[in-house]
Amino acid sequence: MSGAIAAEGIGQPVRRKEDFRFITGNGHYTDDIARARQTYAYFLRSPHAHARIKSIDTSAAEAAPGVVAVFTGKHVADDGLGGLICGWTVTSKDGTPMKAGAHPVLAFDTVRYVGDHVAMVVAETLADARAAAELIDVDYEALPAAVALSTCQDEKTAQVHTEAPRNTCFEWELGNKAETEAAFAKADRVVKLDLTNNRLIPNAMEPRAAIGEYDKGSGIYTLHTTSQNPHVARLVLSAFVGVAPEHKLRVVAPDVGGGFGSKIFIYAEETACVWAAAKVGRPIKWTGDRSEAFLSDAHGRDHLSHAELALDKDGKFLGLRVKTIANLGAYLSTFSASVPTYLYGTLLSGQYDFPAIYVEVDGVYTHTAPVDAYRGAGRPEATYLVERIVETAARETGIDPAELRRRNFVRTFPHQTPVIMNYDAGDYEASLDAALEAIDYKGFAARKSEAASRGKLRGIGFSSYIEACGLAPSAAVGSLGAGVGLWESAEVRVNPTGNIEVLTGSHSHGQGHETTFAQLVASRLGVPLDSVEIVHGDTDKVQFGMGTYGSRSGAVGMSAIVRALDKIETKAKKIAAHLMEAAVEDIVFENGTFTVQGTDKSLAWAELSLAAYTAHGFPSADIEPGLKEGAFYDPTNFTFPAGCHICEVEIDPDTGITRIVKFVAVDDFGTVINPMIVEGQVHGGIAQGIGQALLEHGVYDPDSGQLVTGSYMDYCMPRADDLPSFTLGFTKTVCPSNPLGMKGCGEAGAIASPPAIINAVTDALGIRDIEMPATPARVWEALQSAAPRAAAE
Amino acid sequence: MYQFNYERPKTLADAEALLGKADDPKILAGGQTLIPTLKQRLAMPSDVIDIGGIKELDFIRAEGDAVMIGAATRHATVATSPDVRKHNPALADLAGWIGDPAVRHMGTLGGSIANNDPAADYPAACLGLDAKIHTTKRLIEADEFFTGMFETALQDGEIIKEVTFPHPEKAAYMKFRNPASRYAMVGVFVSKGPWGVRVAVTGAGQNGVFRVAEMEEALAKSWSPDAVANIKVPAKGINSDLHGSAEYRAHLVTVMAKRAVAAAS
Ligand SMILES: Cc1cc2nc3c(=O)[nH]c(=O)nc-3n(C[C@H](O)[C@H](O)[C@H](O)COP(=O)(O)OP(=O)(O)OC[C@H]3O[C@@H](n4cnc5c(N)ncnc54)[C@H](O)[C@@H]3O)c2cc1C
C-alpha cells in the first residue's frame, strides 16, 4: 500500500471527516430544516401520572389566533390509526405471550404517565400553538398511580393496563432451574446480594424533532426526524401504525446529535406530525425542548434484583441464581421487552465458566415514562450484577478479587454458556493482567495508607466484563421473539470519475461512520479518503437497512460493505481482464491499480471506473456496463467485546464526596479501524458509566408520580470535572465470525465501568453495597452506619 | 413566553419612570433567572425593563474601608476585579464559584440578591460581610434585606443601585455545590471585621440565608477551625430533598464552616 493511502487506512487515527461541519455550525439537523408554509406542533401533556379523561373541550383552542388544527385521541381513533408497537414478543414461563397494553399515539380515555400525550395543537407559530394549548379544557379524574417498582406488583396497587394483572407484562425465565438448584445444593458457600440498577434519562445533546409533510400530487408523505434507524421507523409507521404504505412514505434522518438508544424508538410526536400533515395540508414541525425530553424520551435501566452465587471450597463458581424486576414504564416501547430479557439474561455468565445459571425476570408496568434500550441495553445491568456479586464473593471468601476471577475465567473457545451465548474468542486473563499492571495493583496498599494519612478513604474495584454486540444473527433473534432480522445492507457505487458513494443501512449520529467506513473503502480500493462519500439516513436514497444501535455498525454494517466491495472487485477484475485482454485469474488488484500478472500492463482505478461506464466494446453477454454492487450481510454470531476496567477512588469522609483518582480500561474490541474514534467511544462510555454510578438518577415522586428530576437542576449529568484522566489499553483477539474481525466498541465503557466504580466505593467504605448513584449524601449516610469499621481501618 | 413590552432605558431615572408607568413590570438584569421563568410561562409581566444598558449601575469602586459594587455588575467582573481581589478576596472567590462561565458573564449582583434564591451565593456574602444595600428609595442593612425564601425587603418599583461591602480583616467562603445544579447545597461565609465575627449560611435554610450565633460567639473567642468543629446547627428548619437530608446538610454546615475558618486563618 502506498504511504499516503496507508496513513488513511485501517488502523489509522484519522481525524473525523464530519467534525469540520459539526464544529463550524454547518451540520443539518432536523430543526435546521425549514419547509415552505410549515406549521408548528405543540403537545399538551398529562400533568397526572394516572387519570381518566372524562372530556376534552378544544373549542377555545381552535378559535385562538394562528391555530390551524387541534387533534386529540378521538381523531386518532376515528382515523383508524394503529397504536405504537413493541417489535419483540417475550414469552412467559407458562408459555403465554407478554401482555401488551394498547399504546395510542394520543391518549384516548386514560393517561398513564406525567408527560403522556393528550392533544396536539398545530399553529402558525410555536408561540400560538403553546398559547392555544393552555385553552384546552381537559376534565381529568385523577386516579391512584403505580409508581414504585418494589410495590407495583402488589394486589392493591393501581393497574396500568387491564390486560396485565398485577402490572406484570411477562414472567420470563432463562437457564436450567433444576441444574441450578442442584449446584446450589452442593455448594460450600452461597453469596447473596440485592441490587438496584438506577433509572437513567438519556439526554442526547439534540432533542427529538420531526417535520411531517404530505404531497397531495404524489400522495407521498415525508418525515424528517431524529432517528437511529429510518427504515425501521418507516416500516413501523407503515405496516403497524398505518400512516401510509411503505412506498408512499419517505423517512429522512439527517444529522442527528446523539441517540444512545433513545432515538431507535418510534414515538408519538413524530408519528402525529407526519400523520396530521395530510390532514392540515401543510408541513408540521415539532422540536422537543429539554423538559419534554426528560418527560417523554424512553428512559433506561431501572431494575431491582436479587442474586445468589454458589461457590465450592476453592472458589470455583458452581451456579448463579437471579430474580429481577424490570420496569417497563407505562407502555411497551419499540424494543423494550427485549432489553431486560434477551439482552440481559444471556450475559449473566460474564467471563466465567458457569456450569449452571437460572434467571427469572418480571417485566412490569408502572405509571412512568416507557423504559427501553439505553447505551448498553441490558448488558450494563447484567455486568453490574455479575461483577458486583463476584467482587462480594471475593471479599467474603478472602480470595483476592483478581485471583477469584482468574480461577473462573473461560479459557477455551468456542464456549457455550448456560444462557444461550456461544463465546467465539477472547483472552480474559490478558486484559486483566494488562489492567493490573496499568493501575499498579501491587502499589495499592501503599496508596491506601498514604490516603488514610490525609484522612481519605481509598478503595479499588474491578470489572471484568463481557458483552454481546454485532446485533445480530437474524435466525437467532427471530427464534427469540424479534419481529425483525438484524442483518445490514450496503451498496457501493463507483462513479465514472472514480470516486465512490457508499450507501449504508447504518446510521451515524456521532459514531464517526463517515470516517471509519471511508477508511475501509479507501484501504480496500486504494483510493484517497476524500474520494469516498458515506451516504445514510434517507429511505429514498438508501436500500432498506436496520440502523445503528447495539454496537452493530462496525461488525455488521461494515461487513456488508466488505461483501459489496468483494463484488465490486470481482466485477472490476472482469472489466480489467477484458480491457487488458488477459484472463481474469491473471488480474492482480493492489493499491488502486489493476495489473496483469507477469506483465507491465496496468490500469489505474480511475481509468477502469470510466471504462465501466463508457462500456465501449463490452461483450454484452458477459459484462454489464456500470460498477455498482449491493450486499446484505447477516451475521452468524454475536460478537463478544470483553475486557477489564479497574477504578480507584478516594472518599472524603467529612463530605461524602467520591473522587475517582485512577481509572484503567483495557478492552478487546478485535480489529480496530480508527483507534482515535475507538478511544473517544470508550471515553464517552465511561463518562456515562460514571454518570450512572455516581451522579445520574431519574426519580419519580412515589405518590404523585411527578418526575422529580425533570431538569438539570436535579438530574446530574457528568461534567468534565467529574471525570478523571482515563488510562486506556487494548488487547486483541480477532472475532472469527465477521470478515474484518471486529467486535464493536460503542457501549463497552458504559457497560463495564459502573461495577468497577461501585466496587471501589464499597471497598473504600468497607460496606457490602451502596445504591447507585453513590452521591455524597448516600456515601455520608453509609459512613454514619458503617462508622466504626471505616474508622478502624 | 407570553407577550410583553420590552424597554431598555439608558438611565436610572428613565428606568424608575418606566417602572412607575407600567401595569405589572419586571426588572430584567442578567436574565439568568428571569428569562427561564418567562420561557416556562411562570411569569406574565406587562413590561420588562432591561437595566443592562444603564452605565451608572455597572461599576466597582474601592473607597475608604469598603468596596462599592453596582447592581448590574456581572459575577465575572467581580470575580476578576483587582480591587475586589485586593480588599476582599473571599468575595471575589465567591463570585467565581457561581454557576458556569456563561452564567457568570450574564448574571448580576443585584439580580442575585433581589431574587434571593435560598441556594444562591451572594446572600451569604452580604450577610456575612454586614453589607449595605442601596436602592432607589433607601439604604437597607443586609440583616434586614433577606426576609425569606425568594423574599426580600424590596418594595414594588424599588431598584437596587449598589451594594457596599466593608473590607474584612479575615474572610472566606466555602461552598458545597449541589452536584446537579452547582448552586450551593451548603455555603458558609465567615468573616472578622469592624462588625465583629459573622457566620452566614446559604443553601441549607428553608427560609434562605441565616447566621449562626453560636459559631460567631465561639469564633469571637478563638478564631480557629476547632472552635466551630463541634457546633452543630439543628436539622429542624434545614432543607431536605433528593440531594441530601436535613441531617446531612446540617452536618455540612459545620464542615464548611470549619474549612472556611481554616482558609481565612
Ligand atoms: C445554570 C445556572 C447556574 C447558576 N448557578 C448559580 C450558583 O451557583 N450560585 C448562585 O448564586 N447563582 C447561580 N445562578 C443564578 C445567577 O447567578 C443569577 O445571579 C441570578 O439568576 C439572578 O441574576 P440576574 O442578573 O440574571 O437577574 P435576572 O434574572 O435578570 O433577575 C432576577 C430577579 O431579580 C430582579 N432584579 C434584577 N436586578 C434588579 C435590581 N437591580 N433591583 C431590583 N430587582 C432586580 C428581577 O426583576 C428578577 O425578579 C445560576 C443561574 C443559572 C442559569
Side-chain angles (χ1 to χ4, degrees):
Chain A
M1 208 179 280
S2 71
I5 287 165
E8 297 178 338
I10 290 176
Q12 297 304 314
V14 179
R15 289 249 182 117
R16 303 204 327 168
K17 290 173 76 172
E18 47 271 76
D19 284 347
F20 186 75
R21 151 169 122 249
F22 292 147
I23 63 180
T24 56
N26 288 298
H28 291 284
Y29 297 89
T30 299
D31 189 58
D32 295 326
I33 298 164
R35 314 303 284 180
R37 299 180 65 243
Q38 108 192 341
T39 61
Y40 295 83
Y42 179 77
F43 288 87
L44 181 70
R45 294 172 186 279
S46 169
H48 300 287
H50 187 203
R52 199 168 68 79
I53 300 175
K54 295 205 296 201
S55 66
I56 304 183
D57 181 356
T58 57
S59 52
E62 279 161 49
V67 170
V68 175
V70 180
F71 297 98
T72 65
K74 185 166 180 327
H75 294 102
V76 169
D78 288 350
D79 213 39
L81 207 63
L84 301 172
I85 60 145
C86 178
W88 198 302
T89 302
V90 165
T91 304
S92 288
K93 291 175 229 185
D94 65 5
T96 57
M98 65 187 190
K99 302 182 174 74
H103 188 182
V105 173
L106 295 174
F108 188 64
D109 52 8
T110 307
V111 286
R112 293 189 172 86
Y113 67 101
V114 173
D116 204 354
H117 315 77
V118 175
M120 172 170 70
V121 182
V122 180
E124 297 293 339
T125 68
L126 181 58
D128 286 343
R130 272 192 88 154
E134 284 179 9
L135 302 175
I136 298 176
D137 189 8
V138 188
D139 188 5
Y140 291 107
E141 180 193 340
L143 300 169
V147 181
L149 192 50
S150 55
T151 55
C152 70
Q153 290 178 294
D154 294 355
E155 285 298 343
K156 281 189 287 240
T157 301
Q159 290 287 295
V160 182
H161 296 282
T162 44
E163 296 88 339
R166 288 174 45 251
N167 290 321
T168 304
C169 177
F170 55 78
E171 291 170 303
W172 176 84
E173 66 178 350
L174 184 66
N176 189 315
K177 188 173 182 182
E179 282 174 19
T180 308
E181 299 300 327
F184 275 81
K186 65 171 194 227
D188 292 290
R189 183 188 287 267
V190 174
V191 177
K192 300 180 182 178
L193 199 57
D194 289 303
L195 292 169
T196 303
N197 206 292
N198 43 328
R199 179 182 275 246
L200 303 174
I201 304 179
N203 278 294
M205 203 182 288
E206 181 204 21
R208 285 189 292 120
I211 307 176
E213 289 174 77
Y214 176 68
D215 183 85
K216 212 169 172 179
S218 62
I220 290 176
Y221 289 78
T222 302
L223 173 64
H224 280 83
T225 188
T226 46
S227 175
Q228 300 180 209
N229 32 230
H231 277 97
V232 175
R234 184 176 72 158
L235 177 64
V236 170
L237 289 171
S238 168
F240 298 96
V241 185
V243 170
E246 220 173 343
H247 67 303
K248 294 287 185 188
L249 176 58
R250 174 183 178 196
V251 177
V252 187
D255 283 334
V256 174
F260 310 109
S262 71
K263 292 172 182 165
I264 298 172
F265 320 123
I266 291 73
Y267 290 93
E269 294 90 344
E270 293 87 326
T271 305
C273 283
V274 66
W275 165 73
K279 304 266 174 278
V280 303
R282 292 170 65 180
I284 303 177
K285 181 177 203 167
W286 170 76
T287 302
D289 65 24
R290 188 58 65 186
S291 307
E292 293 184 280
F294 271 103
L295 289 175
S296 68
D297 287 3
H299 295 178
R301 320 268 198 272
D302 207 351
H303 284 195
L304 286 179
S305 293
H306 174 76
E308 299 185 0
L309 173 66
L311 300 94
D312 74 9
K313 61 180 187 338
D314 302 320
K316 275 287 292 172
F317 300 160
L318 301 175
L320 181 69
R321 196 153 59 184
V322 177
K323 172 74 202 260
T324 293
I325 301 170
N327 202 341
L328 300 167
Y331 301 101
L332 288 175
S333 167
T334 315
F335 285 108
S336 61
S338 66
V339 176
T341 51
Y342 290 105
L343 292 176
Y344 167 69
T346 52
L347 270 304
L348 287 172
S349 196
Q351 298 187 346
Y352 311 110
D353 185 6
F354 269 105
I357 296 178
Y358 180 65
V359 51
E360 294 170 283
V361 179
D362 289 0
V364 299
Y365 292 115
T366 56
H367 288 110
T368 64
V371 179
D372 204 329
Y374 174 60
R375 199 175 195 169
R379 294 151 290 162
E381 296 89 313
T383 303
Y384 187 68
L385 186 136
V386 173
E387 289 306 291
R388 287 284 295 113
I389 200 163
V390 167
E391 195 93 355
T392 307
R395 288 174 196 163
E396 291 191 358
T397 55
I399 301 171
D400 177 90
E403 171 58 24
L404 182 65
R405 287 175 169 84
R406 246 185 251 284
R407 284 186 200 171
N408 289 283
F409 279 150
V410 169
R411 287 168 195 280
T412 53
F413 298 89
H415 171 83
Q416 179 61 52
T417 72
V419 279
I420 297 179
M421 291 301 177
N422 190 279
Y423 299 166
D424 53 7
D427 185 347
Y428 308 138
E429 196 148 30
S431 44
L432 174 67
D433 285 337
L436 290 170
E437 174 83 28
I439 202 132
D440 178 23
Y441 187 48
K442 291 199 188 79
F444 175 71
R447 292 195 293 279
K448 187 176 172 80
S449 57
E450 186 278 333
S453 73
R454 287 181 283 111
K456 299 287 192 284
L457 308 170
R458 195 159 174 132
I460 192 164
F462 291 71
S463 171
S464 285
Y465 79 98
I466 186 163
E467 60 146 332
C469 291
L471 308 182
S474 299
V477 297
S479 72
L480 304 177
V484 290
L486 286 170
W487 43 265
E488 195 48 274
S489 70
E491 183 172 295
V492 175
R493 293 183 182 169
V494 178
N495 293 323
T497 52
N499 49 36
I500 296 139
E501 283 147 31
V502 177
L503 285 65
T504 170
S506 297
H507 183 275
S508 182
H509 32 278
Q511 294 87 347
H513 294 174
E514 287 168 46
T515 307
T516 39
F517 288 17
Q519 282 180 262
L520 163 64
V521 177
S523 301
R524 179 73 187 268
L525 300 182
V527 298
L529 200 65
D530 276 346
S531 62
V532 184
E533 193 70 22
I534 306 299
V535 180
H536 64 90
D538 184 343
T539 59
D540 259 13
K541 290 184 184 165
V542 179
Q543 68 291 338
F544 201 106
M546 293 309 300
T548 288
Y549 37 83
S551 304
R552 66 191 304 275
S553 301
V556 191
M558 289 179 85
S559 295
I561 298 175
V562 169
R563 289 289 158 77
L565 287 169
D566 291 345
K567 295 185 191 174
I568 288 281
E569 188 174 323
T570 305
K571 168 127 190 226
K573 278 182 171 165
K574 214 162 155 186
I575 298 173
H578 169 72
L579 294 174
M580 295 191 283
E581 297 174 330
V584 173
E585 305 75 60
D586 292 336
I587 302 293
V588 177
F589 180 53
E590 239 175 45
N591 297 330
T593 307
F594 298 86
T595 49
V596 181
Q597 206 165 17
T599 74
D600 59 358
K601 278 196 205 168
S602 74
L603 204 56
W605 174 254
E607 293 174 280
L608 183 121
S609 307
L610 185 61
Y613 286 89
T614 53
H616 296 161
F618 278 11
S620 51
D622 259 8
I623 311 177
E624 284 178 18
L627 194 50
K628 181 194 97 161
E629 298 288 348
F632 285 73
Y633 172 81
D634 197 358
T636 53
N637 193 358
F638 291 82
T639 64
F640 298 97
C644 180
H645 289 203
I646 307 181
C647 173
E648 244 175 85
V649 300
E650 255 182 42
I651 290 173
D652 174 359
D654 285 343
T655 58
I657 290 180
T658 298
R659 211 161 58 82
I660 296 177
V661 285
K662 275 181 168 222
F663 198 102
V664 167
V666 177
D667 296 293
D668 176 358
F669 297 138
T671 303
V672 166
I673 306 292
N674 183 324
M676 181 197 71
I677 288 179
V678 168
E679 285 179 16
Q681 289 289 323
V682 175
H683 285 191
I686 298 172
Q688 274 172 313
I690 291 172
Q692 167 156 36
L694 299 179
L695 308 164
E696 298 182 46
H697 198 188
V699 178
Y700 282 92
D701 180 273
D703 299 316
S704 68
Q706 296 293 328
L707 181 62
V708 179
T709 53
S711 81
Y712 295 136
M713 289 299 284
D714 293 298
Y715 190 88
C716 186
M717 291 295 284
R719 294 167 167 88
D721 65 355
D722 292 315
L723 310 175
S725 185
F726 308 121
T727 305
L728 303 191
F730 296 96
T731 55
K732 181 171 167 181
T733 58
V734 169
C735 173
S737 71
N738 64 57
L740 292 166
M742 297 176 72
K743 297 186 179 182
C745 66
E747 297 160 293
I751 291 168
S753 55
I757 297 159
I758 297 300
N759 285 337
V761 170
T762 50
D763 179 46
L765 297 176
I767 58 175
R768 266 175 76 84
D769 188 33
I770 188 164
E771 255 183 54
M772 295 193 290
T775 59
R778 281 185 174 164
V779 168
W780 181 78
E781 262 143 35
L783 271 169
Q784 301 320 296
S785 19
R789 178 168 170 199
E793 274 180 357
Chain B
M1 244 181 240
Y2 296 103
Q3 295 263 353
F4 51 77
N5 299 315
Y6 174 78
E7 302 280 358
R8 191 174 163 91
K10 287 259 172 322
T11 67
L12 199 52
D14 287 351
E16 274 197 280
L18 286 163
L19 281 172
K21 268 198 327 219
D23 270 356
D24 184 14
K26 259 296 183 200
I27 299 167
L28 174 69
Q32 297 303 292
T33 295
L34 185 58
I35 299 283
T37 311
L38 293 173
K39 279 168 77 177
Q40 289 174 39
R41 303 186 150 223
L42 297 172
M44 207 190 314
S46 62
D47 296 73
V48 169
I49 318 293
D50 182 352
I51 60 169
I54 302 177
K55 296 251 157 31
E56 61 201 288
L57 291 180
D58 184 7
F59 64 86
I60 297 176
R61 251 188 343 255
E63 259 175 40
D65 52 9
V67 187
M68 269 73 93
I69 304 181
T73 309
R74 316 280 181 193
H75 309 327
T77 312
V78 175
T80 54
S81 153
D83 280 333
V84 182
R85 285 247 152 256
K86 178 167 165 208
H87 299 294
N88 203 337
L91 181 61
D93 288 346
L94 173 142
W97 279 106
I98 296 174
D100 51 49
V103 169
R104 291 196 290 276
H105 280 85
M106 288 302 291
T108 68
L109 170 60
S112 176
I113 63 173
N115 193 49
N116 193 19
D117 188 307
D121 297 303
Y122 268 129
C126 291
L127 204 58
L129 287 164
D130 192 22
K132 320 282 171 220
I133 292 135
H134 303 265
T135 73
T136 41
K137 296 196 174 144
R138 57 200 163 128
L139 182 157
I140 312 174
E141 298 286 341
D143 279 328
E144 312 298 322
F145 184 85
F146 303 102
T147 55
M149 183 188 298
F150 296 108
E151 302 275 346
T152 67
L154 288 174
Q155 293 156 4
D156 283 350
E158 189 171 11
I159 306 177
I160 302 169
K161 291 196 303 187
E162 67 171 64
V163 182
T164 305
F165 291 99
H167 301 332
E169 286 161 38
K170 288 175 175 178
Y173 179 63
M174 279 292 154
K175 175 177 182 178
F176 186 95
R177 295 184 299 176
N178 176 309
S181 73
R182 305 237 165 147
Y183 272 82
M185 211 151 109
V186 169
V188 180
F189 201 104
V190 299
S191 77
K192 190 174 186 179
W195 50 83
V197 168
R198 284 193 172 220
V199 177
V201 176
T202 190
Q206 278 168 4
N207 291 315
V209 63
F210 65 90
R211 288 170 59 183
V212 186
E214 211 185 325
M215 288 188 179
E216 292 179 355
E217 283 156 28
L219 288 170
K221 285 195 206 115
S222 154
W223 183 270
S224 73
D226 286 345
V228 292
N230 293 315
I231 301 176
K232 302 232 179 306
V233 298
K236 193 161 176 293
I238 300 289
N239 285 321
S240 174
D241 60 18
L242 176 71
H243 305 287
S245 63
E247 290 70 27
Y248 176 55
R249 280 187 168 84
H251 161 80
L252 286 177
V253 171
T254 306
V255 175
M256 292 296 119
K258 223 166 59 181
R259 291 184 183 182
V261 175
S265 295

